[in-house]
Amino acid sequence: GQKVRSNHQGAEHLAGLTPAQTEIGMTQAANIDVDVIVLGAGAAGMTAALVAANEGLSVLLVEKSEVLGGSTAYSGGVCWVPRSHLARRAGVQDSEENVWTYVSACLGEHMDEASMRRYLSTAPEAFEYLEENSEVAFLLRETTPDYSPELPGGTLGGRALEILEYDARRLGKNFAHLRRPPDEYLVLGGMMVTVGDANRILARYRSLDGFRHTVRLVWRYLMDRITLNPRGTRLVIGNAMVARLYASLLKRKVPVWR
C-alpha cells in the first residue's frame, strides 16, 4: 500500500495534540513515513497497531491524552469469547448453534446478524493470535456464567476470558505512561485486586490460604511504595490488558505520539 507521510508538528495542528517525546527517542521535529496510523491507544487501537506491526507494516500510534489505555484501563479486563482456543484445550463442550441461540435470545430484533456472525467466527482465532504473537495472555473462566445464563443457549462457564496479571516493573519508566485506575478499584491507595483476591482477603482470618495471599499482596505493595513507585506494580483486570499490549508495542518499537 501507499505510505502516509506524517509530520509531528502537522499532527499536533490537526489533532490538537501536545506531542511528547516517544518511547523510542523520537524528537519533536520528527518526520516519518508509515503504512498505518492508528488513532487512540485503548485496547482496540493498541491491538490494531500491534497486529499491523506483527504483519510487517510500519505503524504510528497517536493518543490525544497524556496517558495510554483509554476506557480499557478502567475495565474489568474480561472478554466474552465463545469457543476460544482456551476453552477447546479445557474440553469445554460448546457448539456454534448453542452460541447463536444465546446471542439471538439476548439481542432479539436489535441484533446485527452479519456483524455478530463475523465476531463469533473470527474472535477465537483473533484471541489465539494475540496470545501467540504478543505479551497478551488470558485465563479461561470456567465457572463464570454468561450475563443471562437462564436464556436458551446460556452457559454457566467457559466463554469468558480474563487477562492475566502483569508485573509493571517490566515496563520500567514506561509504567508512568499507563492510565491510573479509579481510586475505588484500588486498596490502600494504590494496590489493585481482582474479585478472587478480594474473596481471599475477606477470608484471611478463616483460611490459611487467604491469610498467606493477603500477606503476599500487602508485602508486595509495601515494597512497591518503598521503592517510590506511584502505585502497586501488580496490575490486574483492564490495567493488565493495557500493560501487556503496551509492552508488546514497545518490544516492536512502535512509535507512540501522546
Side-chain angles (χ1 to χ4, degrees), residues 151-197:
L151 293 179
T155 67
L156 296 177
R159 290 176 176 171
L161 300 182
E162 177 183 350
I163 195 73
L164 293 183
E165 67 178 66
Y166 185 79
D167 185 352
R169 292 174 295 191
R170 296 173 58 189
L171 290 174
K173 65 180 182 180
N174 293 306
F175 179 30
H177 300 161
L178 299 186
R179 185 180 298 278
R180 178 186 175 93
D183 289 339
E184 54 265 32
Y185 285 21
L186 304 173
V187 178
L188 301 177
M191 183 176 77
M192 297 196 73
V193 295
T194 64
V195 172
D197 292 329

Side-chain angles (χ1 to χ4, degrees), residues 188 191 212-226:
L188 301 177
M191 183 176 77
R212 287 175 173 172
H213 188 68
T214 302
V215 170
R216 283 195 297 268
L217 291 181
V218 174
W219 179 256
R220 163 76 179 271
Y221 176 61
L222 289 176
M223 291 300 99
D224 285 337
R225 299 312 296 265
I226 288 173

Side-chain angles (χ1 to χ4, degrees), residues 52-81:
N54 281 343
E55 298 304 310
L57 300 176
S58 57
V59 187
L60 171 64
L61 179 61
V62 180
E63 168 59 41
K64 70 177 181 179
S65 68
E66 295 183 355
V67 289
L68 308 178
S71 61
T72 304
Y74 292 169
S75 74
V78 177
C79 303
W80 191 74
V81 189

